Amino acid sequence: MNHDHEYTPSNGFTKWLDKRLPLIRFADENMLSFPTPKNLNYFWTFGFILTLCLVTQIITGIVLAMHYTPHVLMAFDSIEHIMRDVNYGWLIRYIHANGASMFFLAVFIHMFRGLYYGSYKEPREILWILGVVIFLLMIITAFMGYVLVWGQMSFWGATVITNLVATIPVVGESILTLLLGGFSVDNPTLNRFFSLHYLLPFVIFGVVILHIWALHVTGNNNPTGISVKDSNDTISFHPYYTVKDLFAYVVFLLMFSYFIFYNPNILGHPDNYIEADPMVTPAHIVPEWYLLPFYAILRAVPDKLMGVLLMFGSIVVLFFLPWLDTMKVRSARYRPTYKIFYFTFLVCCLLLGYLGGQAPEGIYLFLSRVCTIYYFAFFLVVMPILSKYERPSPMPIGISNPAINNNLEMDDNLVPSGNN
Amino acid sequence: MTDTIDKNDPTRRDFLYITTAVFGATGAATVAWPLIHQLNPDASVSALSSVEADISSIPEGGSLKVAWRGKPVFIRRRTKEEINIAEKEDAENLPHPEKDEERVKNKEWLVVVGVCTHLGCIPIADKGDFGGWFCPCHGSHYDISGRIRKGPAPTNLEVPPYEFVNENIIRIG
């Protein structure tokens, strides 16, 4: 990146501080004058939105933990206590519960943006992998948080998901017992889930710092996917993107507020307002909406172990994306064939989400199977083949130069000039 | 000693490195084990692993659900007809082949852990295509011997360790 601006401490104190702990310099280089491609669209605001989602969850979570009791006899009642007795408890809990949904909504958009514009490609492989790590941690954290409510869906969701571990040959049962601290989901399970649900967001926070660090080494991708060449291609992060990000966040908050204030339970399941009963299984066990696509994959497979492997595989495959799609052209904007497969994939994921909430029989089961096959085929078949045979459409020379690049040496166009 | 030192020969320093590493690793493992083992069932959980049930009031064709290790156990008093069906179906092509007689101590009484072997839901009695249980979560069908007949569950309903204390009492665990 071209640094056409360097931080100069302005007064005695900042000069003194800069020599000892260059905090302001760090903030200036990474947040204020950070050179950012000038053509980023609103899909690029979700990184900022996600950071604030995490902060919101941590703050509301810490407050909720002050009023919650992690014991099987009191957990459910303490949630009702928060809802009815604690001052603004209802607000804080609804922010936290719907905040999780908003967090996942934002992360899905963020990931699909990366998938469309090729943000996982060289040199951003580590950046992408850290993102997948964050996504995995988010799933684990959200799952444990949902169990804390200790409603019927909490209990039976926990039973079904922890039982996935028992499918591991030979040692599965022992690991399951170790995980639960008993022979079924019970008080020891609730206690440790509470402890881990408190811990993991801070782990996520740590990985987010690494994620942003990696981003600031390579710099942002952009809608053209063409690497930044010089300072003509960039503008400083502040004020241009601080304002754009904040505006997007305000719009995001409007939608978030609709759920908090007008429809706070629409994304949850009514059965979770029934206290957990280890002796009665609800008729339909469904996870939260953001896990439905993975649940649909699990149920699409008639074999227990294979179902579990495919469900985990659907996330693990994301780690290998940079090496499955080796096409040098990053952005789908210049990949007409990829674009078709991409949108089919998007529809397939949404459909899996719908199917995950339906009973696993008849046409639903059939469609789940078709979508599961396409899900994996997209990564394992379509991507490698397109990388080899797809002919990209004409591309401009650079972010600031719309003239068509007739030089087919694409590499030249895509290799980052960051260290020049 | 006057001979030259061969660089490939182990030195006293190598010995120190290896010894230190081994001690360090052993120490780490020693500390790690309590931290891992504390996750396993504690004494109070293990203490609850036996339960007695009074079966004197169960009519023929009726059943009782008792909690054992936090899981339900189905105790079913089967009718003559049901026993006949269960034994006749021994010959069928079962996903998890087990004879009915291997699964009971007294033909009249079927005792199984009421937890679906798929992902741990509780099957519903007198439902499904085989006259036994049906799991609503992912659609596994069990017969009147608790054997898996159709659906994603890999094995038959587990038979817990149990014994008849006397005519009226069963001890599970």
Side-chain angles (χ1 to χ4, degrees):
Chain A
M1 296 299 130
N2 260 0
H3 288 268
D4 42 14
H5 155 101
E6 202 184 338
Y7 168 69
T8 34
S10 54
N11 62 46
F13 173 72
T14 49
K15 275 180 193 141
W16 180 86
L17 184 68
D18 198 50
K19 285 214 172 83
R20 286 158 182 83
L21 180 68
L23 207 59
I24 305 176
R25 177 182 297 277
F26 182 83
D28 178 76
E29 283 171 5
N30 286 293
M31 290 190 269
L32 301 177
S33 64
F34 184 70
T36 314
K38 62 185 179 185
N39 57 336
L40 301 187
N41 59 33
Y42 273 103
F43 285 110
W44 261 265
T45 58
F46 282 89
F48 179 80
I49 289 171
L50 282 162
T51 312
L52 290 182
C53 280
L54 178 61
V55 170
T56 307
Q57 291 304 90
I58 288 179
I59 293 173
T60 51
I62 288 172
V63 172
L64 288 171
M66 295 175 185
H67 303 281
Y68 171 78
T69 314
H71 188 282
V72 288
L73 298 178
M74 291 178 272
F76 187 81
D77 289 344
S78 73
I79 299 276
E80 285 311 303
H81 160 73
I82 289 168
M83 294 300 290
R84 292 152 195 253
D85 304 340
V86 176
N87 301 328
Y88 289 108
W90 59 270
L91 176 65
I92 295 158
R93 174 165 179 256
Y94 278 154
I95 292 174
H96 196 73
N98 287 288
S101 284
M102 295 301 112
F103 204 158
F104 274 94
L105 178 66
V107 90
F108 285 141
I109 297 173
H110 193 62
M111 291 168 83
F112 272 104
R113 188 267 291 160
L115 203 57
Y116 186 82
Y117 293 110
S119 300
Y120 47 89
K121 291 182 189 180
E122 200 263 316
R124 297 185 182 83
E125 300 95 327
I126 300 281
L127 176 59
W128 171 264
I129 287 170
L130 286 168
V132 181
V133 170
I134 295 170
F135 180 58
L136 253 180
L137 287 170
M138 278 175 63
I139 290 177
I140 298 169
T141 310
F143 160 69
M144 289 180 169
Y146 192 61
V147 174
L148 300 185
V149 181
W150 209 245
Q152 273 290 66
M153 277 301 160
S154 303
F155 183 89
W156 289 102
T159 300
V160 168
I161 299 300
T162 52
N163 263 288
L164 298 180
V165 178
T167 56
I168 303 169
V170 190
V171 290
E173 286 290 338
S174 318
I175 296 181
L176 177 62
T177 313
L178 183 83
L179 203 70
L180 297 177
F183 306 103
S184 57
V185 175
D186 209 333
N187 201 46
T189 322
L190 179 62
N191 279 175
R192 66 191 56 182
F193 278 18
F194 179 59
S195 169
L196 294 173
H197 183 70
Y198 204 112
L199 165 75
L200 287 180
F202 296 98
V203 177
I204 294 178
F205 199 84
V207 186
V208 166
I209 289 173
L210 295 180
H211 189 66
I212 296 174
W213 185 3
L215 169 72
H216 283 215
V217 172
T218 62
N220 290 79
N221 186 25
N222 66 79
T224 66
I226 300 168
S227 296
V228 166
K229 292 201 173 52
D230 52 42
S231 59
N232 283 331
D233 289 345
T234 61
I235 46 180
S236 62
F237 190 77
H238 179 74
Y240 301 103
Y241 285 114
T242 40
V243 166
K244 188 165 184 161
D245 283 351
L246 275 171
F247 176 71
Y249 184 62
V250 169
V251 175
F252 186 77
L253 274 186
L254 278 176
M255 182 196 54
F256 192 175
S257 304
Y258 163 75
F259 285 106
I260 297 169
F261 295 105
Y262 293 91
N263 221 338
N265 288 307
I266 187 74
L267 297 170
H269 197 291
D271 274 12
N272 223 27
Y273 278 99
I274 303 169
E275 191 169 1
D277 183 349
M279 294 294 136
V280 180
T281 308
H284 286 285
I285 298 180
V286 282
E288 290 275 81
W289 69 268
Y290 41 80
L291 300 178
L292 286 173
F294 306 106
Y295 196 56
I297 291 176
L298 170 74
R299 299 192 305 179
V301 190
D303 181 81
K304 185 170 160 182
L305 183 59
M306 273 307 287
V308 174
L309 286 178
L310 280 193
M311 185 181 75
F312 285 115
S314 65
I315 295 173
V316 171
V317 72
L318 299 176
F319 283 107
F320 298 96
L321 219 51
W323 296 279
L324 290 169
D325 180 5
T326 51
M327 167 66 83
K328 289 258 191 258
V329 174
R330 294 196 189 97
S331 175
R333 191 179 275 188
Y334 308 108
R335 298 185 62 187
T337 320
Y338 175 77
K339 205 188 267 184
I340 296 167
F341 283 103
Y342 171 88
F343 282 110
T344 314
F345 179 73
L346 180 62
V347 171
C348 162
C349 288
L350 293 173
L351 196 56
L352 276 173
Y354 167 75
L355 294 166
Q358 306 303 316
E361 53 201 22
I363 182 75
Y364 299 126
L365 188 58
F366 174 73
L367 284 174
S368 303
R369 287 180 179 162
V370 172
C371 288
T372 302
I373 290 169
Y374 184 75
Y375 183 98
F376 285 98
F378 176 71
F379 292 118
L380 301 174
V381 180
V382 173
M383 278 189 166
I385 290 180
L386 285 189
S387 306
K388 236 178 163 180
Y389 298 109
E390 186 179 18
R391 261 185 70 92
S393 45
M395 295 173 69
I397 289 169
I399 293 171
S400 313
N401 191 342
I404 295 298
N405 186 1
N406 291 314
N407 180 4
L408 282 175
E409 277 299 311
M410 292 296 181
D411 299 25
D412 206 41
N413 216 351
L414 294 160
V415 169
S417 56
N419 300 323
N420 295 353
Chain B
M1 283 201 269
T2 53
D3 33 5
T4 52
I5 295 166
D6 182 346
K7 278 198 172 158
N8 294 321
D9 273 354
T11 63
R12 285 192 290 180
R13 182 143 301 191
D14 288 330
F15 175 77
L16 283 175
Y17 283 149
I18 292 166
T19 318
T20 313
V22 169
F23 266 90
T26 316
T30 314
V31 177
W33 178 241
L35 289 175
I36 295 167
H37 192 52
Q38 56 83 22
L39 291 170
N40 271 319
D42 60 32
S44 72
V45 172
S46 307
L48 295 173
S49 51
S50 166
V51 66
E52 289 188 355
D54 181 358
I55 54 171
S56 58
S57 58
I58 307 175
E60 215 169 81
S63 61
L64 183 70
K65 197 154 80 171
V66 294
W68 173 64
R69 286 176 160 188
K71 295 174 189 171
V73 169
F74 299 150
I75 303 173
R76 179 157 178 131
R77 186 169 177 187
R78 302 189 295 183
T79 60
K80 290 254 157 50
E81 224 171 287
E82 289 173 336
I83 298 170
N84 284 340
I85 292 172
E87 291 187 334
K88 205 163 66 192
E89 289 179 350
D90 285 351
E92 303 256 335
N93 191 12
L94 301 170
H96 178 195
E98 268 186 323
K99 288 207 161 64
D100 185 57
E101 60 182 27
E102 296 168 36
R103 297 179 51 78
V104 292
K105 289 192 171 168
N106 173 340
K107 282 184 186 175
E108 201 178 352
W109 297 96
L110 176 74
V111 183
V112 286
V113 176
V115 170
C116 180
T117 56
H118 182 225
L119 293 171
C121 297
I122 299 177
I124 300 166
D126 301 313
K127 279 229 173 145
D129 301 348
F130 297 90
W133 288 267
F134 172 71
C135 181
C137 295
H138 307 100
S140 294
H141 300 252
Y142 297 91
D143 66 15
I144 195 62
S145 187
R147 292 176 294 203
I148 179 66
R149 300 299 291 272
K150 194 172 125 187
T155 58
N156 301 336
L157 290 180
E158 188 195 337
V159 178
Y162 68 92
E163 59 185 354
F164 291 91
V165 179
N166 57 44
E167 259 178 29
N168 297 329
I169 306 283
I170 287 188
R171 184 194 294 130
I172 299 158

